Each structure stands twice: as structure tokens, then as C-alpha cells.
Amino acid sequence: MSSPRRTLDTLPLHRRAQLEATATVDTQARLARLGIRLGAIIEATQRTPGGGRVVAVGDLRIALDRATARDLLVVELDAAAS
Amino acid sequence: MNPPPPSATQTGAPPSSPRQVPSCHEGGASLAPTGAPVIALAGTPNVGKSTLFNALTGARRTMGNWPGTTVEVGRGAWRPRTGTAYDLVDLPGAYSLDATSPDEELTRDLVVTDEAHRPDVVVLVADSAHLSRSLYLLSELRERAQRVIVALTMTDVASRRGIRVDPDRLAAAVGVPVVALDPRARRGLAALADAIERDLAAPHTAPRQLGPRHDGDPLARADERFAWIDACVDAAVDRQATARRSWSDRVDAVVMHRLAGPLVLMAVMWVVFQITTTVAAPLQDALDRWVSGPLTDGANTLLAGAPTLVHGLIVHGIIAGVGMLLTFVPLMALMFLLLALLEDSGYMARAAVVADRTMRAMGLPGRAFLPLIVGFGCNVPAIAATRVLTGARQRVLTALLVPFTSCSARLTVYVMLATTFFEEWAGTVVFAMYLLSILLIVGVGFALRRTLWRTMGTEPLLLDLPAYQRPTIRVMTSVTWMRLKGFLRTASGIVVATVCVVWLLQAVPVKGSAALGETAIEDSAYAAVAGTLAPAFAPAGFNQWEATGALVTGFVAKEAVISSWAQTYAVSDAEQGADTPLGQNIRRDFEASSGGHPVPAVLAFMAFLLAYTPCVATLAAQRREIGLRWAVFGVGMQLAVAWTLAVVVFQLGKLFW
């Protein structure tokens, strides 16, 4: 079984994950401004042109580019449960 | 020279206090009496602050379903039925008082820095559908001795998502009054007025005390605030189980799909392009016919006995200038309406995501795609469309690139010259001009990005996608009217003045014995000025005054280039083609001026026409959007690029033709 810890850009779509860390404090601060904290449950809902992701965090929908998605370390919850 | 930080006119630089905030909104809201309580609207971007401001003051203010729409400080009088007049201030969107952008700095300065002039009450506008995010700013405000009232908006969107926020429970949790309202439908405004009146009459609410955990550590302090927010949300929000995929997600699956998304964006841009060109054209023609027909005829009749100078200035200067301005009104109105529709519906944020990668190559965000595409129809609304960009430096850069997009007015000149000189290759030559236009945008964008804009960082895309919503006619029309009025107010002077100057040059004789206004064009000051400019174009192969004169007229409007030639060569019919009298005259002059290389000379002329200042209306729009200094810089840059390009084309071309 692959490790449930991965960067967001490699998280399969529609799998829930917990945001564990960000590569930079700046990214963490930007997420916090949108109301997303470390520990938040997120789900990538679709890929975007250019390789980015749209993530659902509760009712929020946030678009990220590929580089930012690579900056987010998540723990896949569904994989951990299975 | 580096691009300046956002100027006061662009983002509303912080004045010393809210009571001295300049009235820079464009809707002409009246000001409250001196000493009226100051009520500041604050909140995260895109929660409806500007819509609420308009609903309360009756003013017209920038608003739309787009993060960061409010980039200036609006101020106006709010006179609720309770009788008290309030001085209402609409602050830029801010997520936090820990400012990271000029907008947030402004909000922080206005709300907390100058304690002697703080607003009497801050109305924290909160999005019910995304309550947690809206409450961070409240958590910071609650730690200060500041009267705050929460205005809950977007309750309809929240309700569709199965979210219900109980205002009473929320008020008990956050410790300040909470009012649910809908500024789009103007519901709940009286309740807000009552809450403010009651709050002003009551003692100050004690500031919320932070727990012992933070000890000055900003991350711990932020964490404590988030914990408080979570507790407030848990206390006040009821959630029903909703389908995992909302209809908004289903629409997003298509409009932001890796393959379908760009196609949808192209289709939307095509529709915008079509409407701003083909749909507006009959309206423009009708206005043009009315101005040049009945209005001019009427003026001619009224001014029959007037001196030539007065008659000419009124008919050929003022009326022609106003007429030109009027023809832009349908075009601009349609453009602004479409912009409002795209913003208010929520699609604009998706378009920014789809185009992000392409525009990033030039250091611009995805949303810069819109003005650049619109520019191929007309540069004037395209310059106005740069306001979809939230960063002032990005806005300046994009507005400087827009004139390199080849507008439809330039197409008429390309077609005329291409059919005259290239016959069966005319289509290919015209296509090449569009290709050159794209190369110029990319090339100049690249060059500026690595020189004057080299310090502008590439911002990662981390964009909140607002919920789709049905655009409201009231919001769209008020936005359109406010923007149209602003355009007319700024552009009218410069357009009319330039048309008058060109007419005056054509009317003043410098040779011969003809009277003022009756001179042949070759004896006029216009020909003299064009003749003075002509030697500068010798290296480009078109140093005859007839060509440079057309370029001078083309500065007023590119549509006027062909009619200027027709007037210069005294040809009654400006029909296009190599064998027409106009075509023969133009061929003869290009042959003479280029030393027997008319083909590279005319290609050089077309390249110059593509790259130099599109028209005086574009210049006026630039002045409005990015300021006079950058508009003048743009003119200089375009002339330098155009001249260099024309010389290179001629000198290289003459090796082959």
C-alpha cells in the first residue's frame, strides 16, 4: 500500500485528506487568510488546465496552480482507513 | 524607472482618517453633515460591501462577484428612516488587520491606526455561506475597543447549500449585534439602521480577552482566534446534509475542465468579441449618421452667417468630436455590461483559472486574458477591462500592452492597402498583421517584464472561487452606468480637443492666398506639420507628407486614415483596390518615397500603423485607468516600437523586393 502522506498534486481526485504541512510559511499564511488551517480536511475535486487543482474545504472551493499544489503535504484519510 | 506602487487614485492611499477620506467613488453620493457618526463597512473581498454601500447611500459604486473589486475608498451619506444621517465609508476588502496588501493596509490604517479618528461603528459584512473566513477580521476587531455590528449577507447562497446561520445565536457567541440582510434585494437595511442606533446609544462592549496561550507568538494568537471562530460557528450554524457535488461543482467540472475549459473560455471571449464589434456596429453607425447628418445639417443652418473659424470649430471640431465620442457609447456600454455579467455571475474567477498558465508566461495573471482579447475588437473598452485585475502594477502592464492588439479600425486600413499592393495575397498579408500583433504583445510584454517590471513577483494562484449566482439587473446596470459615466467624463475633453486641433491644422493656410477654412489641404498647416514629420520616416520608406498626414489623422481615429487619404488626394470615392484612383495615387507616392521599393515601404507603413498609438480615445481610456504619466509613457514606447519595427521591415524588405 502506498504511503498516505503525499503532496496535494498527487492526491487522487475525490479522496479526502488532511492538510498536514506546507512547504513555506507564506503558503500557510495565504491559506489561513482564506480560512484554511493546518489540519483542515480537503478534497481535490478537479484538475485545472495547467495541472492545478480545485480543492473543496467545507463549502469553500479554492483553485491552486500546480506549484502551490506541490507545496501542500496531505495525509490521505480514505487510504489510511482502508 | 520602476512602476510605482499603487497610487492614491488607483487604490485609495490612506488618508489620515476616515473623516478625511476623499470621496473617490464615482456615483456622486452626497456627503453627510459634518460631525455625523462615521460608519465603516469592512469585510473580506466579495462579501457584498459595495453592494450594501450602494443600497444604503443610493450611490453607484464598483461592485461585482469578484474578489478585490473594491480597491478605492467610497464615502457617502446614509440617511435611514430613523432620521440620523451617517457618514458611510466603504473600505477595501481585507481578510485580516495583519496587512499583506495595499488594500489591507488601507483598511487597517482607517480602522485601527489613527485612534483619534476611528469610525464610530464598523459594520463587519460577513458571508453566511463562508462564515469562518469572514470572522477572522471580526476576531481581531473584537480584541479592540471598537463598536462592531455584523451584517450577514449571502443567506440565500448559504440556504441553497443547506447552511442556516442563526443571527441571535451568532450575536450571543461573538458578543456584538448581528443583522441578516440582503443588499441586492435591499432587505434588512432598516434593521441594520436600528441596530446601529441602539449600539451608539449603549456603552462600549468590552474587548474580547485573549487567553494566556499566545504570549506574543503570532501563530499561537492566530490559532486561538481560529479556535474562537470555530466555537462561534458551531454555536450559530445549522447544516443539513447536502449532496456532495453541488450544481456549482458540476458547472465547474465543465468550465474548468483541462480540455473543455479553454474551449468554453474561447467561446465566451468570442461572444464578448462579437457583441463588442458586430452588435455595437449598427448602433455606432446610426449615431454616426445622426451626428454627421441631421445634427451637422442643423448646425450648418444655424451657423450660416457665422465667421468661418467659429463655424468650423463648432461643426468640424466640437460636433465631430462629440459625435466620435458618442459612437463609442454603445460599444462601451455593451462592454461594461458584459464585464458586469461575467463578474457578477462568478464566471470571471473561473476564466482566470483557465487562462492562468498562458498569461503566467508573460508574468500576468489569467484574468489579463480578457482585456487582451477584447482589444482585438476595440482598444478603448479593453483598456477599461483591465480593471478586472486587482494588482495595480499588473493593471498598468496590461494597459500598456493592449494598444498592440490590432483593433478592427486598423483592419480597414490593412485591407485597403493589402488589396492595393498585394492583390491575391491580400488575405495573407492581413493575417500576417494579426500574427505580428500577437508577437508584439508577447515580445513587449516579455521585455517590460524583464526591465521595468522585473521586481514584480509571480504570484502563485490561490483563488477563492465564489459561488455562481444569478446576475441581477440592478447590479449590472448600475455598474455599467457608473463605468460609462466615468469614461465619458474622462475621455470627452481629450477627444473633442484633439479633433478640434486636427481640424484647425487643416483649416489654417500656410501657403497660397486662400482664407481660413477654405485652403487646399496641401497648403494647410496640417500638410506643413506632416511634411515636418516626414523626414523621420525616410529610413522606413514612407517620407511623403501624405502618408505621415494620414498617421497624424490616425492618431485621432484609425477609421479616419482612409478618408484622410481620400481628402488629401481629392478623391471623392474612397473605394479600395489597386486600380481605383485612390489606390493609384497611394502606389505612386509609396514608389517615389521608397526609391522604387513600394512593397517593403507599405509593409513598413502597416507595421507602424499597427504599433503606434491606436487613437485618442484609447489614450483617454489609458489616462483614466493608469494615470497620465503611464499613458504618456505608453505613447512614447509605442512610437519607439513602431518606428523601429517600420525601419527594420523596410530595410530588410528592400533586400528582397
Side-chain angles (χ1 to χ4, degrees):
Chain A
M1 192 181 81
S2 62
S3 166
R5 181 174 284 110
R6 54 174 76 214
T7 54
L8 179 64
D9 62 311
T10 64
L11 179 72
L13 296 183
H14 307 301
R15 296 270 186 88
R16 290 185 318 130
Q18 188 166 30
L19 180 62
E20 188 176 75
T22 60
T24 65
V25 176
D26 183 56
T27 305
Q28 189 179 336
R30 284 172 169 276
L31 287 169
R33 287 154 54 79
L34 295 174
I36 303 169
R37 284 195 292 164
L38 296 184
I41 307 300
I42 66 178
E43 175 186 326
T45 58
Q46 71 176 101
R47 294 186 180 88
T48 61
R53 295 285 186 277
V54 175
V55 294
V57 188
D59 297 311
L60 290 176
R61 297 293 181 272
I62 309 287
L64 318 159
D65 58 12
R66 179 187 276 180
T68 307
R70 280 194 193 125
D71 272 358
L72 306 189
L73 188 66
V74 298
V75 178
E76 192 180 337
L77 296 177
D78 300 331
S82 63
Chain B
M1 184 171 68
N2 278 324
S7 71
T9 52
Q10 285 156 359
T11 62
S16 59
S17 80
R19 293 177 202 280
Q20 294 162 26
V21 170
S23 182
C24 53
H25 56 80
E26 296 158 329
S30 60
L31 297 181
T34 309
V38 177
I39 312 295
L41 302 182
T44 60
N46 200 37
V47 289
K49 289 186 304 300
S50 298
T51 312
L52 179 58
F53 177 89
N54 280 352
L56 296 176
T57 62
R60 306 287 189 260
R61 180 77 164 87
T62 304
M63 47 190 176
N65 190 16
W66 177 255
T69 297
T70 304
V71 293
E72 296 173 323
V73 175
R75 184 182 179 188
W78 172 27
R79 295 186 173 84
R81 286 177 189 160
T82 51
T84 313
Y86 297 119
D87 192 355
L88 197 64
V89 179
D90 183 16
L91 298 174
Y95 290 94
S96 161
L97 294 176
D98 295 328
T100 59
S101 71
D103 287 358
E104 288 189 337
E105 277 174 30
L106 177 61
T107 294
R108 182 196 58 202
D109 290 344
L110 294 182
V111 172
V112 299
T113 303
D114 187 354
E115 294 200 5
H117 297 94
R118 281 190 313 210
D120 295 284
V121 179
V122 173
V123 174
L124 189 284
V125 185
D127 175 358
S128 304
H130 302 118
L131 192 59
S132 301
R133 189 182 42 187
S134 295
L135 293 188
Y136 193 83
L137 186 59
L138 176 67
S139 72
E140 293 174 304
L141 289 169
R142 284 287 291 109
E143 292 159 19
R144 299 168 185 279
Q146 172 67 56
R147 292 181 191 277
V148 183
I149 291 177
V150 175
L152 277 176
T153 59
M154 312 277 183
T155 48
D156 52 340
V157 175
S159 174
R160 281 201 297 273
R161 294 182 176 188
I163 300 166
R164 186 182 166 275
V165 183
D166 186 311
D168 295 333
R169 277 156 44 199
L170 183 62
V174 298
V176 296
V178 176
V179 179
L181 45 79
D182 181 354
R184 290 157 66 90
R186 307 198 176 195
R187 278 199 295 267
L189 307 185
L192 178 63
D194 291 342
I196 289 173
E197 194 164 304
R198 276 197 305 273
D199 200 58
L200 282 170
H204 261 289
T205 310
R208 188 177 77 85
Q209 297 299 316
L210 281 170
R213 278 178 52 210
H214 67 85
D215 291 330
D217 175 3
L219 283 177
R221 194 160 54 216
D223 213 46
E224 184 166 10
R225 286 178 186 142
F226 279 122
W228 179 77
I229 291 166
D230 285 348
C232 294
V233 171
D234 285 346
V237 175
D238 298 315
R239 292 172 192 273
Q240 295 168 355
T242 52
R244 275 178 61 78
R245 295 184 76 206
S246 68
W247 72 271
S248 183
D249 289 330
R250 286 194 286 274
V251 175
D252 279 348
V254 177
V255 303
M256 287 193 297
H257 186 269
R258 279 181 298 168
L259 302 175
L263 294 177
V264 171
L265 176 61
M266 294 307 291
V268 170
M269 291 300 107
W270 183 83
V271 170
V272 170
F273 187 83
Q274 286 294 312
I275 291 175
T276 52
T277 51
T278 55
V279 175
L283 299 168
Q284 289 181 282
D285 288 345
L287 275 169
D288 190 36
R289 277 197 303 273
W290 178 73
V291 172
S292 59
L295 187 63
T296 302
D297 292 345
N300 281 333
T301 308
L302 282 172
L303 297 166
T308 310
L309 184 65
V310 175
H311 179 272
L313 261 182
I314 292 176
V315 175
H316 301 296
I318 295 170
I319 291 180
V322 170
M324 182 181 158
L325 197 68
L326 275 180
T327 59
F328 278 108
V329 168
L331 190 65
M332 299 299 282
L334 282 168
M335 181 68 228
F336 289 139
L337 200 63
L338 290 168
L339 274 182
L341 177 69
L342 293 174
E343 289 171 349
D344 200 34
S345 65
Y347 178 71
M348 194 70 91
R350 276 75 181 178
V353 173
V354 172
D356 186 71
R357 193 184 187 184
T358 310
M359 298 312 297
R360 198 174 283 268
M362 278 192 285
L364 291 169
R367 62 200 89 155
F369 194 68
L370 176 80
L372 292 176
I373 287 291
V374 170
F376 284 97
C378 178
N379 286 186
V380 182
I383 296 286
T386 59
R387 60 179 58 195
V388 300
L389 297 163
T390 50
R393 299 180 79 193
Q394 295 164 343
R395 203 157 56 223
V396 173
L397 179 56
T398 310
L400 290 175
L401 293 179
V402 163
F404 293 111
T405 57
S406 189
C407 66
S408 55
R410 277 170 267 195
L411 177 64
T412 58
V413 191
Y414 301 153
V415 170
M416 187 265 172
L417 289 172
T419 51
T420 301
F421 284 84
F422 301 100
E423 299 177 358
E424 71 266 28
W425 293 98
T428 308
V429 170
V430 171
F431 174 75
M433 296 310 296
Y434 279 88
L435 207 58
L436 181 62
S437 171
I438 294 167
L439 290 175
L440 274 175
I441 297 163
V442 174
V444 175
F446 194 80
L448 288 174
R449 186 75 177 84
R450 270 148 193 78
T451 52
L452 298 180
W453 270 258
R454 66 184 176 279
T455 58
M456 184 171 79
T458 307
E459 207 172 278
L461 179 75
L462 195 60
L463 185 66
D464 174 26
L465 299 171
Y468 288 105
Q469 61 183 7
R470 188 178 297 131
T472 51
I473 299 292
R474 182 187 288 153
V475 169
M476 290 202 311
T477 50
S478 65
V479 169
T480 301
W481 171 238
M482 179 273 298
R483 290 176 175 172
L484 188 63
K485 207 164 60 168
F487 165 74
L488 288 174
R489 195 168 49 204
T490 314
S492 55
I494 190 167
V495 171
V496 174
T498 310
V499 172
C500 287
V501 167
V502 170
W503 173 82
L504 207 58
L505 285 172
Q506 291 175 341
V508 173
V510 292
K511 284 193 288 187
S513 55
L516 182 74
E518 289 164 10
T519 185
I521 196 159
E522 60 268 26
D523 295 332
S524 68
Y526 172 81
V529 170
T532 309
L533 295 174
F537 294 97
F542 53 92
N543 57 328
Q544 74 275 28
W545 77 264
E546 293 87 345
T548 50
L551 292 177
V552 171
T553 315
F555 175 72
V556 177
K558 290 290 172 289
E559 293 91 338
V561 168
I562 296 173
S563 60
S564 160
W565 265 327
Q567 197 181 0
T568 299
Y569 294 115
V571 175
S572 57
D573 186 1
E575 195 186 331
Q576 296 163 15
D579 299 327
T580 61
L582 182 59
Q584 288 165 1
N585 277 309
I586 291 173
R587 279 188 76 91
R588 187 196 61 222
D589 277 347
F590 269 97
E591 287 226 28
S593 65
S594 62
H597 301 286
V599 168
V602 82
L603 285 175
F605 183 87
M606 289 166 76
F608 189 90
L609 189 93
L610 162 63
Y612 88 115
T613 314
C615 65
V616 66
T618 300
L619 190 61
Q622 276 186 322
R623 182 187 156 213
R624 170 171 168 70
E625 298 300 333
I626 60 175
L628 183 62
R629 183 179 153 209
W630 282 108
V632 171
F633 171 83
V635 170
M637 180 185 70
Q638 289 147 23
L639 284 172
V641 169
W643 187 86
T644 308
L645 190 66
V647 171
V648 168
V649 167
F650 180 67
Q651 296 299 333
L652 284 179
K654 118 179 143 162
L655 299 175
F656 302 98
W657 293 289

